[in-house]
Amino acid sequence: MNFIKQDIILLLIMLIALLLNGCSEKSTNEKQQAVDPTKPSTQVIGQKVVTEPKSAAQKQDRNRNNVYPKNKRNENYVADFNTLDQFIKEIQPPNEQLQKMLKEDLDFDGKPEYVLAFGLEKEEIYNIFVVGEEEHGYHIIDKLEDPVIVVHLNTDVKIMKLDQTDQKFIVVYSIGDGGAYSEGFSIYTLENNHIKSINSDFPNATGQGIRTLKDTDHDGIFESVDYYEFSDTQEHTIMVYQKYDGKGPEKKEILYTNKSKKFVYPSNPKDVILNYLEVDYLMKWFDIPFPEMDQLIDPVAKQTYDFEDAIDLSGLAYLSYPVLELSINEVSSDDNRKIFLVKDDSLEERAKKEILFTLEKQSGKWTIKSIEMNDKL
């Protein structure tokens, strides 16, 4: 009996020990599986660690740090920004302010481009950028290169249609910043994610003159129009124009900017001679006929003269500055017939001849009847 009691007591002790050991293992496993809520949760699978994806906010922070090319050709880079204002402040040249901003889909890819013009004042633009808009921000596509080589100011920039297609062009307008007045323009377009220069028309040679974009014949196609203004006897202006891109045939027209807006026959015989010499020079320069020549000279006397052997007419090339240094002296005269000696008073060495003009009065007008060129003594 005593042995039976002892066996029962040992069995109970063993059962209690087993129960206590199971509770301890359960507590240990629960502690091992506890997760710190401040850390990303992970599962251990063999030797691999699987991490939960980052939040959308974390992705956005990562994307802000991406960079895009400022100019792919020189591989300069600038960080993208989520707002255009931030981007403008980032690329803004020192001491310059944004003077004009244009928004347009220039290449018809469904995404807008921005033309940003920076400068000191509204009509004093120094840097123009074309900026593209992407999914994660903005980037510089290209900077407009200024082709004008004389001193000038860029005063405005526009987006224009210049022909009957849907193509859009960037047009920069400029004026001279020197002593004489001048104006012109430069045309660009966006092709294959780069800015392409189409044409630039500015009086780079003389620094004076007017170049404009104008649909001269109202056919929906703009022309590049050059105005050559002269302060000669008739105040001639020669208009030379062709298609806006500088291609195609060139056309020319003679305009008069005097009060009458047309040819006015000179009443003074000296002015008849000067008018004739000016027109002869301009005809050769622009290779166009001047109808007034048929009125100034008798057909019998009309022929080709090389007046530059006698006088320096190059002063006419200075457009609005009449600097012909001539003396026109009357050597013989009566009521209906006069003879004048024309000499060059400049220091030009090639002027080694003198010219005799004989004029006669017909129907109240003095007309050139003969021209003689003689060597100087």
Side-chain angles (χ1 to χ4, degrees), residues 181-183 185 201 203 206 208-216 223-230 236-241 253-255 257 286 319:
Y181 182 77
S182 58
E183 64 179 71
F185 60 89
D201 196 359
T206 62
Q208 55 185 308
I210 298 174
R211 315 287 188 260
T212 64
L213 272 174
K214 185 178 180 181
D215 184 0
T216 56
E223 283 82 30
S224 173
V225 185
D226 298 359
Y227 292 95
Y228 296 87
E229 298 178 334
F230 301 93
H236 290 107
T237 293
I238 311 301
M239 185 174 74
V240 182
Y241 58 97
E253 291 184 21
I254 302 169
L255 307 176
T257 56
F286 291 99
L319 308 181

PDB file of all heavy atoms in Angstrom, residues 181-183 185 201 203 206 208-216 223-230 236-241 253-255 257 286 319:
ATOM      1  N   TYR A 181      20.478 103.745 -85.286  1.00  0.00           N
ATOM      2  CA  TYR A 181      19.334 102.892 -84.971  1.00  0.00           C
ATOM      3  C   TYR A 181      19.353 101.632 -85.829  1.00  0.00           C
ATOM      4  O   TYR A 181      19.645 101.661 -87.027  1.00  0.00           O
ATOM      5  CB  TYR A 181      18.019 103.632 -85.202  1.00  0.00           C
ATOM      6  CG  TYR A 181      16.827 102.784 -84.831  1.00  0.00           C
ATOM      7  CD1 TYR A 181      16.473 102.607 -83.494  1.00  0.00           C
ATOM      8  CD2 TYR A 181      16.088 102.125 -85.810  1.00  0.00           C
ATOM      9  CE1 TYR A 181      15.393 101.820 -83.138  1.00  0.00           C
ATOM     10  CE2 TYR A 181      15.008 101.326 -85.464  1.00  0.00           C
ATOM     11  CZ  TYR A 181      14.660 101.176 -84.122  1.00  0.00           C
ATOM     12  OH  TYR A 181      13.608 100.370 -83.772  1.00  0.00           O
ATOM     13  N   SER A 182      19.038 100.519 -85.205  1.00  0.00           N
ATOM     14  CA  SER A 182      18.942  99.249 -85.926  1.00  0.00           C
ATOM     15  C   SER A 182      17.987  98.333 -85.179  1.00  0.00           C
ATOM     16  O   SER A 182      17.797  98.457 -83.964  1.00  0.00           O
ATOM     17  CB  SER A 182      20.322  98.595 -86.060  1.00  0.00           C
ATOM     18  OG  SER A 182      20.895  98.380 -84.784  1.00  0.00           O
ATOM     19  N   GLU A 183      17.393  97.425 -85.920  1.00  0.00           N
ATOM     20  CA  GLU A 183      16.537  96.412 -85.298  1.00  0.00           C
ATOM     21  C   GLU A 183      16.536  95.161 -86.166  1.00  0.00           C
ATOM     22  O   GLU A 183      16.810  95.220 -87.372  1.00  0.00           O
ATOM     23  CB  GLU A 183      15.120  96.922 -85.098  1.00  0.00           C
ATOM     24  CG  GLU A 183      14.356  97.257 -86.360  1.00  0.00           C
ATOM     25  CD  GLU A 183      12.943  97.746 -86.067  1.00  0.00           C
ATOM     26  OE1 GLU A 183      12.811  98.877 -85.558  1.00  0.00           O
ATOM     27  OE2 GLU A 183      11.996  96.997 -86.351  1.00  0.00           O
ATOM     28  N   PHE A 185      15.848  90.431 -85.763  1.00  0.00           N
ATOM     29  CA  PHE A 185      15.201  89.311 -85.079  1.00  0.00           C
ATOM     30  C   PHE A 185      15.991  88.032 -85.320  1.00  0.00           C
ATOM     31  O   PHE A 185      16.826  87.944 -86.237  1.00  0.00           O
ATOM     32  CB  PHE A 185      13.766  89.132 -85.585  1.00  0.00           C
ATOM     33  CG  PHE A 185      13.696  88.853 -87.063  1.00  0.00           C
ATOM     34  CD1 PHE A 185      13.758  87.565 -87.558  1.00  0.00           C
ATOM     35  CD2 PHE A 185      13.592  89.902 -87.971  1.00  0.00           C
ATOM     36  CE1 PHE A 185      13.718  87.318 -88.921  1.00  0.00           C
ATOM     37  CE2 PHE A 185      13.549  89.665 -89.339  1.00  0.00           C
ATOM     38  CZ  PHE A 185      13.616  88.368 -89.819  1.00  0.00           C
ATOM     39  N   ASP A 201      18.276  87.760 -88.747  1.00  0.00           N
ATOM     40  CA  ASP A 201      18.404  88.887 -89.668  1.00  0.00           C
ATOM     41  C   ASP A 201      18.586  90.161 -88.851  1.00  0.00           C
ATOM     42  O   ASP A 201      17.631  90.668 -88.243  1.00  0.00           O
ATOM     43  CB  ASP A 201      17.166  88.983 -90.562  1.00  0.00           C
ATOM     44  CG  ASP A 201      17.410  89.865 -91.787  1.00  0.00           C
ATOM     45  OD1 ASP A 201      18.517  90.406 -91.913  1.00  0.00           O
ATOM     46  OD2 ASP A 201      16.488  90.001 -92.611  1.00  0.00           O
ATOM     47  N   PRO A 203      21.280  93.871 -88.933  1.00  0.00           N
ATOM     48  CA  PRO A 203      22.315  94.579 -89.714  1.00  0.00           C
ATOM     49  C   PRO A 203      23.688  94.500 -89.052  1.00  0.00           C
ATOM     50  O   PRO A 203      24.207  95.486 -88.526  1.00  0.00           O
ATOM     51  CB  PRO A 203      21.776  96.011 -89.784  1.00  0.00           C
ATOM     52  CG  PRO A 203      20.892  96.147 -88.597  1.00  0.00           C
ATOM     53  CD  PRO A 203      20.278  94.802 -88.372  1.00  0.00           C
ATOM     54  N   THR A 206      26.742  96.847 -90.949  1.00  0.00           N
ATOM     55  CA  THR A 206      26.832  98.293 -90.742  1.00  0.00           C
ATOM     56  C   THR A 206      26.388  98.737 -89.353  1.00  0.00           C
ATOM     57  O   THR A 206      26.692  99.852 -88.934  1.00  0.00           O
ATOM     58  CB  THR A 206      25.957  99.030 -91.774  1.00  0.00           C
ATOM     59  OG1 THR A 206      24.590  98.648 -91.579  1.00  0.00           O
ATOM     60  CG2 THR A 206      26.378  98.674 -93.183  1.00  0.00           C
ATOM     61  N   GLN A 208      23.398  99.411 -88.596  1.00  0.00           N
ATOM     62  CA  GLN A 208      22.242 100.283 -88.739  1.00  0.00           C
ATOM     63  C   GLN A 208      21.326  99.741 -89.833  1.00  0.00           C
ATOM     64  O   GLN A 208      21.774  99.097 -90.780  1.00  0.00           O
ATOM     65  CB  GLN A 208      22.663 101.703 -89.073  1.00  0.00           C
ATOM     66  CG  GLN A 208      23.540 101.818 -90.302  1.00  0.00           C
ATOM     67  CD  GLN A 208      24.021 103.231 -90.525  1.00  0.00           C
ATOM     68  OE1 GLN A 208      23.244 104.179 -90.548  1.00  0.00           O
ATOM     69  NE2 GLN A 208      25.318 103.396 -90.692  1.00  0.00           N
ATOM     70  N   GLY A 209      20.043  99.982 -89.678  1.00  0.00           N
ATOM     71  CA  GLY A 209      19.074  99.464 -90.623  1.00  0.00           C
ATOM     72  C   GLY A 209      17.969  98.705 -89.900  1.00  0.00           C
ATOM     73  O   GLY A 209      18.066  98.404 -88.708  1.00  0.00           O
ATOM     74  N   ILE A 210      16.925  98.398 -90.631  1.00  0.00           N
ATOM     75  CA  ILE A 210      15.745  97.762 -90.045  1.00  0.00           C
ATOM     76  C   ILE A 210      15.502  96.420 -90.725  1.00  0.00           C
ATOM     77  O   ILE A 210      15.447  96.335 -91.949  1.00  0.00           O
ATOM     78  CB  ILE A 210      14.506  98.660 -90.193  1.00  0.00           C
ATOM     79  CG1 ILE A 210      14.726  99.984 -89.443  1.00  0.00           C
ATOM     80  CG2 ILE A 210      13.259  97.954 -89.653  1.00  0.00           C
ATOM     81  CD1 ILE A 210      13.613 100.982 -89.648  1.00  0.00           C
ATOM     82  N   ARG A 211      15.338  95.385 -89.903  1.00  0.00           N
ATOM     83  CA  ARG A 211      14.982  94.045 -90.365  1.00  0.00           C
ATOM     84  C   ARG A 211      13.733  93.614 -89.614  1.00  0.00           C
ATOM     85  O   ARG A 211      13.718  93.621 -88.384  1.00  0.00           O
ATOM     86  CB  ARG A 211      16.119  93.053 -90.110  1.00  0.00           C
ATOM     87  CG  ARG A 211      17.512  93.570 -90.503  1.00  0.00           C
ATOM     88  CD  ARG A 211      17.677  93.604 -92.007  1.00  0.00           C
ATOM     89  NE  ARG A 211      19.049  93.910 -92.386  1.00  0.00           N
ATOM     90  CZ  ARG A 211      19.462  95.095 -92.765  1.00  0.00           C
ATOM     91  NH1 ARG A 211      18.617  96.112 -92.780  1.00  0.00           N
ATOM     92  NH2 ARG A 211      20.721  95.299 -93.123  1.00  0.00           N
ATOM     93  N   THR A 212      12.695  93.221 -90.348  1.00  0.00           N
ATOM     94  CA  THR A 212      11.436  92.865 -89.696  1.00  0.00           C
ATOM     95  C   THR A 212      10.884  91.557 -90.256  1.00  0.00           C
ATOM     96  O   THR A 212      11.271  91.097 -91.328  1.00  0.00           O
ATOM     97  CB  THR A 212      10.375  93.966 -89.894  1.00  0.00           C
ATOM     98  OG1 THR A 212      10.075  94.073 -91.302  1.00  0.00           O
ATOM     99  CG2 THR A 212      10.842  95.296 -89.372  1.00  0.00           C
ATOM    100  N   LEU A 213       9.949  90.977 -89.497  1.00  0.00           N
ATOM    101  CA  LEU A 213       9.148  89.842 -89.958  1.00  0.00           C
ATOM    102  C   LEU A 213       7.795  90.386 -90.374  1.00  0.00           C
ATOM    103  O   LEU A 213       7.107  91.032 -89.578  1.00  0.00           O
ATOM    104  CB  LEU A 213       8.977  88.818 -88.838  1.00  0.00           C
ATOM    105  CG  LEU A 213      10.044  87.742 -88.693  1.00  0.00           C
ATOM    106  CD1 LEU A 213       9.776  86.915 -87.448  1.00  0.00           C
ATOM    107  CD2 LEU A 213      10.120  86.851 -89.916  1.00  0.00           C
ATOM    108  N   LYS A 214       7.401  90.126 -91.613  1.00  0.00           N
ATOM    109  CA  LYS A 214       6.169  90.721 -92.116  1.00  0.00           C
ATOM    110  C   LYS A 214       5.591  89.854 -93.233  1.00  0.00           C
ATOM    111  O   LYS A 214       6.325  89.346 -94.082  1.00  0.00           O
ATOM    112  CB  LYS A 214       6.467  92.127 -92.654  1.00  0.00           C
ATOM    113  CG  LYS A 214       5.267  92.917 -93.104  1.00  0.00           C
ATOM    114  CD  LYS A 214       5.690  94.312 -93.560  1.00  0.00           C
ATOM    115  CE  LYS A 214       4.518  95.149 -94.013  1.00  0.00           C
ATOM    116  NZ  LYS A 214       4.946  96.492 -94.473  1.00  0.00           N
ATOM    117  N   ASP A 215       4.282  89.680 -93.216  1.00  0.00           N
ATOM    118  CA  ASP A 215       3.600  88.991 -94.314  1.00  0.00           C
ATOM    119  C   ASP A 215       3.300  90.047 -95.376  1.00  0.00           C
ATOM    120  O   ASP A 215       2.224  90.646 -95.406  1.00  0.00           O
ATOM    121  CB  ASP A 215       2.322  88.324 -93.809  1.00  0.00           C
ATOM    122  CG  ASP A 215       1.628  87.510 -94.889  1.00  0.00           C
ATOM    123  OD1 ASP A 215       2.135  87.453 -96.020  1.00  0.00           O
ATOM    124  OD2 ASP A 215       0.554  86.946 -94.601  1.00  0.00           O
ATOM    125  N   THR A 216       4.270  90.274 -96.261  1.00  0.00           N
ATOM    126  CA  THR A 216       4.178  91.403 -97.188  1.00  0.00           C
ATOM    127  C   THR A 216       3.034  91.275 -98.185  1.00  0.00           C
ATOM    128  O   THR A 216       2.409  92.277 -98.556  1.00  0.00           O
ATOM    129  CB  THR A 216       5.495  91.559 -97.968  1.00  0.00           C
ATOM    130  OG1 THR A 216       5.802  90.332 -98.634  1.00  0.00           O
ATOM    131  CG2 THR A 216       6.631  91.910 -97.020  1.00  0.00           C
ATOM    132  N   GLU A 223       7.670  86.983 -94.311  1.00  0.00           N
ATOM    133  CA  GLU A 223       8.941  87.210 -94.984  1.00  0.00           C
ATOM    134  C   GLU A 223       9.923  87.900 -94.037  1.00  0.00           C
ATOM    135  O   GLU A 223       9.529  88.628 -93.130  1.00  0.00           O
ATOM    136  CB  GLU A 223       8.765  88.087 -96.233  1.00  0.00           C
ATOM    137  CG  GLU A 223       8.189  87.375 -97.438  1.00  0.00           C
ATOM    138  CD  GLU A 223       6.686  87.262 -97.375  1.00  0.00           C
ATOM    139  OE1 GLU A 223       6.047  88.160 -96.780  1.00  0.00           O
ATOM    140  OE2 GLU A 223       6.148  86.277 -97.916  1.00  0.00           O
ATOM    141  N   SER A 224      11.200  87.642 -94.301  1.00  0.00           N
ATOM    142  CA  SER A 224      12.266  88.381 -93.656  1.00  0.00           C
ATOM    143  C   SER A 224      12.520  89.610 -94.515  1.00  0.00           C
ATOM    144  O   SER A 224      12.993  89.498 -95.644  1.00  0.00           O
ATOM    145  CB  SER A 224      13.522  87.501 -93.563  1.00  0.00           C
ATOM    146  OG  SER A 224      14.614  88.249 -93.082  1.00  0.00           O
ATOM    147  N   VAL A 225      12.198  90.779 -93.977  1.00  0.00           N
ATOM    148  CA  VAL A 225      12.212  92.010 -94.766  1.00  0.00           C
ATOM    149  C   VAL A 225      13.337  92.921 -94.289  1.00  0.00           C
ATOM    150  O   VAL A 225      13.418  93.255 -93.104  1.00  0.00           O
ATOM    151  CB  VAL A 225      10.856  92.743 -94.671  1.00  0.00           C
ATOM    152  CG1 VAL A 225      10.854  93.952 -95.592  1.00  0.00           C
ATOM    153  CG2 VAL A 225       9.702  91.805 -94.997  1.00  0.00           C
ATOM    154  N   ASP A 226      14.198  93.320 -95.236  1.00  0.00           N
ATOM    155  CA  ASP A 226      15.286  94.252 -94.939  1.00  0.00           C
ATOM    156  C   ASP A 226      14.972  95.605 -95.564  1.00  0.00           C
ATOM    157  O   ASP A 226      14.688  95.691 -96.760  1.00  0.00           O
ATOM    158  CB  ASP A 226      16.610  93.754 -95.516  1.00  0.00           C
ATOM    159  CG  ASP A 226      17.042  92.425 -94.917  1.00  0.00           C
ATOM    160  OD1 ASP A 226      16.325  91.909 -94.047  1.00  0.00           O
ATOM    161  OD2 ASP A 226      18.095  91.912 -95.330  1.00  0.00           O
ATOM    162  N   TYR A 227      15.037  96.649 -94.750  1.00  0.00           N
ATOM    163  CA  TYR A 227      14.820  98.013 -95.242  1.00  0.00           C
ATOM    164  C   TYR A 227      16.159  98.751 -95.244  1.00  0.00           C
ATOM    165  O   TYR A 227      16.807  98.894 -94.209  1.00  0.00           O
ATOM    166  CB  TYR A 227      13.828  98.762 -94.356  1.00  0.00           C
ATOM    167  CG  TYR A 227      12.418  98.234 -94.421  1.00  0.00           C
ATOM    168  CD1 TYR A 227      11.952  97.314 -93.482  1.00  0.00           C
ATOM    169  CD2 TYR A 227      11.540  98.665 -95.413  1.00  0.00           C
ATOM    170  CE1 TYR A 227      10.648  96.829 -93.540  1.00  0.00           C
ATOM    171  CE2 TYR A 227      10.229  98.188 -95.471  1.00  0.00           C
ATOM    172  CZ  TYR A 227       9.803  97.269 -94.537  1.00  0.00           C
ATOM    173  OH  TYR A 227       8.507  96.787 -94.590  1.00  0.00           O
ATOM    174  N   TYR A 228      16.573  99.220 -96.415  1.00  0.00           N
ATOM    175  CA  TYR A 228      17.788 100.012 -96.553  1.00  0.00           C
ATOM    176  C   TYR A 228      17.365 101.455 -96.827  1.00  0.00           C
ATOM    177  O   TYR A 228      16.893 101.790 -97.911  1.00  0.00           O
ATOM    178  CB  TYR A 228      18.655  99.479 -97.693  1.00  0.00           C
ATOM    179  CG  TYR A 228      19.171  98.071 -97.470  1.00  0.00           C
ATOM    180  CD1 TYR A 228      18.408  96.967 -97.855  1.00  0.00           C
ATOM    181  CD2 TYR A 228      20.403  97.866 -96.865  1.00  0.00           C
ATOM    182  CE1 TYR A 228      18.875  95.677 -97.647  1.00  0.00           C
ATOM    183  CE2 TYR A 228      20.884  96.573 -96.656  1.00  0.00           C
ATOM    184  CZ  TYR A 228      20.110  95.488 -97.044  1.00  0.00           C
ATOM    185  OH  TYR A 228      20.574  94.204 -96.839  1.00  0.00           O
ATOM    186  N   GLU A 229      17.543 102.307 -95.834  1.00  0.00           N
ATOM    187  CA  GLU A 229      17.081 103.687 -95.930  1.00  0.00           C
ATOM    188  C   GLU A 229      18.252 104.613 -96.273  1.00  0.00           C
ATOM    189  O   GLU A 229      19.351 104.460 -95.735  1.00  0.00           O
ATOM    190  CB  GLU A 229      16.452 104.125 -94.609  1.00  0.00           C
ATOM    191  CG  GLU A 229      15.216 103.298 -94.230  1.00  0.00           C
ATOM    192  CD  GLU A 229      14.643 103.727 -92.898  1.00  0.00           C
ATOM    193  OE1 GLU A 229      15.410 104.266 -92.067  1.00  0.00           O
ATOM    194  OE2 GLU A 229      13.444 103.524 -92.674  1.00  0.00           O
ATOM    195  N   PHE A 230      17.996 105.556 -97.172  1.00  0.00           N
ATOM    196  CA  PHE A 230      19.035 106.480 -97.606  1.00  0.00           C
ATOM    197  C   PHE A 230      18.552 107.923 -97.467  1.00  0.00           C
ATOM    198  O   PHE A 230      17.398 108.232 -97.786  1.00  0.00           O
ATOM    199  CB  PHE A 230      19.422 106.211 -99.060  1.00  0.00           C
ATOM    200  CG  PHE A 230      19.927 104.815 -99.294  1.00  0.00           C
ATOM    201  CD1 PHE A 230      19.065 103.809 -99.693  1.00  0.00           C
ATOM    202  CD2 PHE A 230      21.263 104.509 -99.089  1.00  0.00           C
ATOM    203  CE1 PHE A 230      19.526 102.520 -99.894  1.00  0.00           C
ATOM    204  CE2 PHE A 230      21.734 103.222 -99.285  1.00  0.00           C
ATOM    205  CZ  PHE A 230      20.865 102.228 -99.694  1.00  0.00           C
ATOM    206  N   HIS A 236      15.313 107.557-100.760  1.00  0.00           N
ATOM    207  CA  HIS A 236      14.962 106.206-101.166  1.00  0.00           C
ATOM    208  C   HIS A 236      15.036 105.231 -99.989  1.00  0.00           C
ATOM    209  O   HIS A 236      15.889 105.358 -99.111  1.00  0.00           O
ATOM    210  CB  HIS A 236      15.913 105.688-102.251  1.00  0.00           C
ATOM    211  CG  HIS A 236      15.748 106.361-103.572  1.00  0.00           C
ATOM    212  ND1 HIS A 236      16.657 107.266-104.068  1.00  0.00           N
ATOM    213  CD2 HIS A 236      14.771 106.253-104.511  1.00  0.00           C
ATOM    214  CE1 HIS A 236      16.260 107.680-105.258  1.00  0.00           C
ATOM    215  NE2 HIS A 236      15.114 107.080-105.548  1.00  0.00           N
ATOM    216  N   THR A 237      14.175 104.231-100.030  1.00  0.00           N
ATOM    217  CA  THR A 237      14.273 103.055 -99.177  1.00  0.00           C
ATOM    218  C   THR A 237      14.126 101.838-100.076  1.00  0.00           C
ATOM    219  O   THR A 237      13.155 101.729-100.830  1.00  0.00           O
ATOM    220  CB  THR A 237      13.185 103.032 -98.094  1.00  0.00           C
ATOM    221  OG1 THR A 237      13.410 104.110 -97.172  1.00  0.00           O
ATOM    222  CG2 THR A 237      13.208 101.715 -97.326  1.00  0.00           C
ATOM    223  N   ILE A 238      15.101 100.938 -99.998  1.00  0.00           N
ATOM    224  CA  ILE A 238      15.042  99.709-100.776  1.00  0.00           C
ATOM    225  C   ILE A 238      14.574  98.587 -99.853  1.00  0.00           C
ATOM    226  O   ILE A 238      15.199  98.337 -98.813  1.00  0.00           O
ATOM    227  CB  ILE A 238      16.407  99.355-101.395  1.00  0.00           C
ATOM    228  CG1 ILE A 238      17.007 100.573-102.100  1.00  0.00           C
ATOM    229  CG2 ILE A 238      16.272  98.177-102.347  1.00  0.00           C
ATOM    230  CD1 ILE A 238      16.146 101.141-103.197  1.00  0.00           C
ATOM    231  N   MET A 239      13.487  97.940-100.229  1.00  0.00           N
ATOM    232  CA  MET A 239      12.951  96.824 -99.453  1.00  0.00           C
ATOM    233  C   MET A 239      13.335  95.520-100.141  1.00  0.00           C
ATOM    234  O   MET A 239      12.965  95.273-101.284  1.00  0.00           O
ATOM    235  CB  MET A 239      11.427  96.934 -99.317  1.00  0.00           C
ATOM    236  CG  MET A 239      10.822  95.865 -98.424  1.00  0.00           C
ATOM    237  SD  MET A 239       9.037  96.103 -98.141  1.00  0.00           S
ATOM    238  CE  MET A 239       8.381  95.594 -99.736  1.00  0.00           C
ATOM    239  N   VAL A 240      14.106  94.691 -99.411  1.00  0.00           N
ATOM    240  CA  VAL A 240      14.542  93.394 -99.924  1.00  0.00           C
ATOM    241  C   VAL A 240      13.941  92.317 -99.017  1.00  0.00           C
ATOM    242  O   VAL A 240      14.100  92.370 -97.796  1.00  0.00           O
ATOM    243  CB  VAL A 240      16.075  93.283 -99.929  1.00  0.00           C
ATOM    244  CG1 VAL A 240      16.515  91.948-100.515  1.00  0.00           C
ATOM    245  CG2 VAL A 240      16.695  94.444-100.701  1.00  0.00           C
ATOM    246  N   TYR A 241      13.254  91.348 -99.609  1.00  0.00           N
ATOM    247  CA  TYR A 241      12.591  90.351 -98.751  1.00  0.00           C
ATOM    248  C   TYR A 241      12.566  88.983 -99.408  1.00  0.00           C
ATOM    249  O   TYR A 241      12.611  88.824-100.621  1.00  0.00           O
ATOM    250  CB  TYR A 241      11.172  90.808 -98.413  1.00  0.00           C
ATOM    251  CG  TYR A 241      10.268  91.055 -99.602  1.00  0.00           C
ATOM    252  CD1 TYR A 241       9.369  90.082-100.039  1.00  0.00           C
ATOM    253  CD2 TYR A 241      10.291  92.277-100.287  1.00  0.00           C
ATOM    254  CE1 TYR A 241       8.528  90.320-101.126  1.00  0.00           C
ATOM    255  CE2 TYR A 241       9.467  92.517-101.371  1.00  0.00           C
ATOM    256  CZ  TYR A 241       8.578  91.536-101.776  1.00  0.00           C
ATOM    257  OH  TYR A 241       7.757  91.762-102.860  1.00  0.00           O
ATOM    258  N   GLU A 253      11.913  95.958-103.789  1.00  0.00           N
ATOM    259  CA  GLU A 253      11.013  97.049-104.145  1.00  0.00           C
ATOM    260  C   GLU A 253      11.663  98.380-103.785  1.00  0.00           C
ATOM    261  O   GLU A 253      12.413  98.475-102.813  1.00  0.00           O
ATOM    262  CB  GLU A 253       9.668  96.920-103.414  1.00  0.00           C
ATOM    263  CG  GLU A 253       8.816  95.752-103.872  1.00  0.00           C
ATOM    264  CD  GLU A 253       7.453  95.735-103.181  1.00  0.00           C
ATOM    265  OE1 GLU A 253       7.037  96.813-102.683  1.00  0.00           O
ATOM    266  OE2 GLU A 253       6.836  94.662-103.124  1.00  0.00           O
ATOM    267  N   ILE A 254      11.358  99.413-104.594  1.00  0.00           N
ATOM    268  CA  ILE A 254      11.853 100.764-104.330  1.00  0.00           C
ATOM    269  C   ILE A 254      10.742 101.570-103.666  1.00  0.00           C
ATOM    270  O   ILE A 254       9.632 101.671-104.195  1.00  0.00           O
ATOM    271  CB  ILE A 254      12.296 101.448-105.632  1.00  0.00           C
ATOM    272  CG1 ILE A 254      13.382 100.625-106.319  1.00  0.00           C
ATOM    273  CG2 ILE A 254      12.791 102.862-105.355  1.00  0.00           C
ATOM    274  CD1 ILE A 254      13.682 101.085-107.734  1.00  0.00           C
ATOM    275  N   LEU A 255      11.038 102.131-102.505  1.00  0.00           N
ATOM    276  CA  LEU A 255      10.077 102.961-101.781  1.00  0.00           C
ATOM    277  C   LEU A 255      10.636 104.381-101.666  1.00  0.00           C
ATOM    278  O   LEU A 255      11.850 104.595-101.728  1.00  0.00           O
ATOM    279  CB  LEU A 255       9.812 102.392-100.390  1.00  0.00           C
ATOM    280  CG  LEU A 255       9.388 100.922-100.303  1.00  0.00           C
ATOM    281  CD1 LEU A 255       9.256 100.499 -98.845  1.00  0.00           C
ATOM    282  CD2 LEU A 255       8.077 100.686-101.051  1.00  0.00           C
ATOM    283  N   THR A 257      10.487 107.657 -99.089  1.00  0.00           N
ATOM    284  CA  THR A 257      10.068 108.111 -97.756  1.00  0.00           C
ATOM    285  C   THR A 257      10.018 109.635 -97.652  1.00  0.00           C
ATOM    286  O   THR A 257       9.956 110.185 -96.559  1.00  0.00           O
ATOM    287  CB  THR A 257      11.022 107.542 -96.685  1.00  0.00           C
ATOM    288  OG1 THR A 257      12.369 107.912 -96.993  1.00  0.00           O
ATOM    289  CG2 THR A 257      10.932 106.026 -96.626  1.00  0.00           C
ATOM    290  N   PHE A 286      22.122  97.262-105.827  1.00  0.00           N
ATOM    291  CA  PHE A 286      21.009  96.335-105.616  1.00  0.00           C
ATOM    292  C   PHE A 286      20.613  95.570-106.875  1.00  0.00           C
ATOM    293  O   PHE A 286      19.740  94.703-106.813  1.00  0.00           O
ATOM    294  CB  PHE A 286      19.793  97.098-105.069  1.00  0.00           C
ATOM    295  CG  PHE A 286      19.981  97.615-103.672  1.00  0.00           C
ATOM    296  CD1 PHE A 286      20.339  98.934-103.447  1.00  0.00           C
ATOM    297  CD2 PHE A 286      19.815  96.767-102.588  1.00  0.00           C
ATOM    298  CE1 PHE A 286      20.512  99.413-102.158  1.00  0.00           C
ATOM    299  CE2 PHE A 286      19.988  97.232-101.288  1.00  0.00           C
ATOM    300  CZ  PHE A 286      20.339  98.560-101.074  1.00  0.00           C
ATOM    301  N   LEU A 319      23.990 104.578 -95.348  1.00  0.00           N
ATOM    302  CA  LEU A 319      22.542 104.705 -95.214  1.00  0.00           C
ATOM    303  C   LEU A 319      22.119 106.092 -94.799  1.00  0.00           C
ATOM    304  O   LEU A 319      22.058 106.995 -95.611  1.00  0.00           O
ATOM    305  CB  LEU A 319      22.024 103.642 -94.249  1.00  0.00           C
ATOM    306  CG  LEU A 319      22.459 102.199 -94.569  1.00  0.00           C
ATOM    307  CD1 LEU A 319      21.860 101.233 -93.566  1.00  0.00           C
ATOM    308  CD2 LEU A 319      22.063 101.803 -95.962  1.00  0.00           C
TER     309      LEU A 319
END
